[in-house]
Amino acid sequence: MMIYRSALKTLSVAACALVFGGGIWGAGSALAAGKTIDWAKVPEAKTVLFYPGQTSYEWIQTGTDHGGARSFLKKGDNCAGCHSEETADMGKKMVSGQKAETTPIPGKRASVPLSIKAAYDADTLYMRFSFPVGPHNAVPFAAGGMMDADNEIKLAMMFDGGKVDKAAQSGCWASCHNDARDMPSAPKKEALAAAKGIDTSHGYVTKYLPESRTAISVKEEPRGGWDKVKPQAELDALLKDGTFLDLARFKSGKGGVSEDGYILAERVLKENAGAIFTGKKDGDQWVVTMTRKLKSGLPGDVALEDGKAYTVGFAVHDDHAAGRFHHVSVDMRLGLGAEGEIKAVKQ
Ligand code: HEC
């Protein structure tokens, strides 16, 4: 296995004649009307999302599961430092069930190439994503072959404001636990009612941060800490203090739905509550745009500053997938006039 370090892979496509204008001002947007980003002038970052199977926060830190556990813990190495150039090959192991996957889906892609562009001005961040349409594989264990019949795709983006332990090193893995929905240590449905402080009425445990729990078991079963939620007053203090992962999500159903929220004790998402998306299928590509205030002032939104870089992560659910059956990025950096695999340019 090849290990690459600090590979920054940004590609300029200034020659690209494609201009994605118009239609980026979704309903509910309070942004200055009429601004159109000239995407042809924005450099394109390329990354490869991969199928992560059941690799969790607990899995990445356990040597018997993960070859990189020791360096991750002892040296502070980040996922991208070892893996950013080989995610397509990694995905093949989980998607086929060779590693960390108990229910492989026949025909599912091992990886999905994602193109990312970012621009900003005095008060708004603009992003544009594109990725190839899925192979339309059916899921044998889902009704009608689809886990989420309403949405062909979903695209999620996570921002780390710098206060969450290990998030700068591991991106989304700080929030993905062994006892979440469809994960190996997921609690039985009957046990869920015992949880205090989180909403388990949907029948599973969502993403959460270690900071929101009094204890997390990394190696001993049951791995995770879903039921060890801190008292509400402590959670409120963490949210106020900026200890959360900021989340924004596009769902392709109903002509496009924008969701915004955060992860702390659980995943919180509300429609039209911050980031506004539009998305459409353009030939064999999905093209999704997002606009978001740099500083919205909303609880659970990272206040973005000019000249700074932020750890970000991306996930795509293709072919009506749901829950953990998605493709994800390793940790990446979004620089607003600062260094990062994704360089947001001022327009
Ligand atoms: C110091 C380097 C290093 C770091 C840092 C590291 N890994 Fe790994 N990772 C490895 C090695 C080595 C393997 C085992 C590869 C093999 O068996 O061929 C591995 C395997 C994996 C696999 C299984 C797929 C495969 O190719 O075997 C996944 C998934 C994975 N790592 C995810 C992560 C994530 C997520 C992070 C960050 C939280 C991370 N790794 C950090 C070195 C690293």
Side-chain angles (χ1 to χ4, degrees):
M1 191 198 75
M2 297 281 282
I3 292 181
Y4 297 85
R5 293 193 175 259
S6 68
L8 295 186
K9 206 180 178 193
T10 43
L11 207 80
S12 172
V13 289
C16 172
L18 199 123
V19 179
F20 189 78
I24 63 169
W25 303 104
S29 166
L31 304 167
K35 173 129 183 174
T36 305
I37 296 296
D38 185 357
W39 290 113
K41 291 203 177 109
V42 179
E44 183 178 49
K46 284 182 179 278
T47 192
V48 178
L49 308 182
F50 72 102
Y51 184 77
Q54 291 166 307
T55 59
S56 63
Y57 174 84
E58 291 75 21
W59 186 96
I60 56 169
Q61 297 185 63
T62 302
T64 45
D65 290 328
H66 179 215
R70 201 182 151 77
S71 300
F72 175 79
L73 290 170
K74 299 272 176 317
K75 293 196 204 146
D77 288 347
N78 59 332
C79 320
C82 288
H83 290 305
S84 67
E85 296 291 314
E86 58 176 21
T87 49
D89 286 335
M90 290 161 74
K92 286 181 197 161
K93 296 190 197 169
M94 278 74 72
V95 87
S96 62
Q98 189 190 328
K99 227 178 201 184
E101 178 55 85
T102 49
T103 51
I105 298 171
K108 191 156 186 78
R109 292 187 278 190
S111 58
V112 177
L114 178 70
S115 296
I116 309 165
K117 292 186 173 197
Y120 69 109
D121 58 24
D123 53 25
T124 305
L125 171 70
Y126 308 83
M127 303 211 35
R128 180 188 185 277
F129 307 94
S130 62
F131 62 91
V133 170
H136 300 299
N137 58 289
V139 180
F141 49 85
M146 290 181 277
M147 296 178 192
D148 179 355
D150 295 337
N151 300 292
E152 178 177 335
I153 64 132
K154 296 184 281 280
L155 181 143
M157 176 170 185
M158 180 219 82
F159 300 81
D160 165 38
K163 295 236 170 124
V164 176
D165 183 41
K166 297 190 181 71
Q169 249 182 297
S170 68
C172 308
W173 274 265
S175 67
C176 174
H177 292 273
N178 229 64
D179 50 7
R181 179 184 192 181
D182 293 324
M183 292 293 276
S185 317
K188 294 231 156 43
K189 275 199 177 127
E190 308 82 77
L192 283 170
K196 302 242 164 14
I198 55 171
D199 175 12
T200 52
S201 58
H202 30 267
Y204 52 84
V205 175
T206 67
K207 292 167 181 291
Y208 61 87
L209 296 187
E211 280 92 339
S212 69
R213 299 302 195 264
T214 53
I216 299 268
S217 172
V218 170
K219 294 189 175 64
E220 300 297 316
E221 285 290 353
R223 297 165 85 182
W226 71 277
D227 54 348
K228 302 192 174 53
V229 185
K230 284 184 181 168
Q232 191 59 45
E234 286 183 45
L235 298 176
D236 293 345
L238 286 166
L239 183 63
K240 214 172 160 195
D241 168 59
T243 308
F244 54 77
L245 289 174
D246 180 356
L247 202 60
R249 183 165 82 158
F250 171 71
K251 299 201 289 198
S252 67
K254 296 184 200 152
V257 176
S258 301
E259 295 178 324
D260 197 312
Y262 63 91
I263 301 161
L264 178 52
E266 61 190 327
R267 188 184 62 189
V268 177
L269 279 173
K270 284 191 193 131
E271 284 186 18
N272 300 318
I276 298 295
F277 292 87
T278 63
K280 62 169 183 178
K281 226 189 285 195
D282 190 0
D284 63 352
Q285 297 281 313
W286 272 97
V287 179
V288 177
T289 62
M290 180 187 89
T291 59
R292 174 206 189 272
K293 285 240 181 281
L294 297 182
K295 296 182 174 68
S296 73
L298 294 168
D301 261 4
V302 171
L304 302 173
E305 285 177 40
D306 198 355
K308 287 201 174 161
Y310 298 85
T311 303
V312 293
F314 304 95
V316 163
H317 284 86
D318 71 358
D319 291 342
H320 299 276
R324 67 177 185 77
F325 298 92
H326 53 3
H327 296 88
V328 298
S329 71
V330 287
D331 54 293
M332 296 183 81
R333 273 123 309 261
L334 168 71
L336 276 69
E339 268 313 302
E341 293 94 327
I342 309 158
K343 288 189 182 68
V345 295
K346 216 162 190 174
Q347 262 197 24

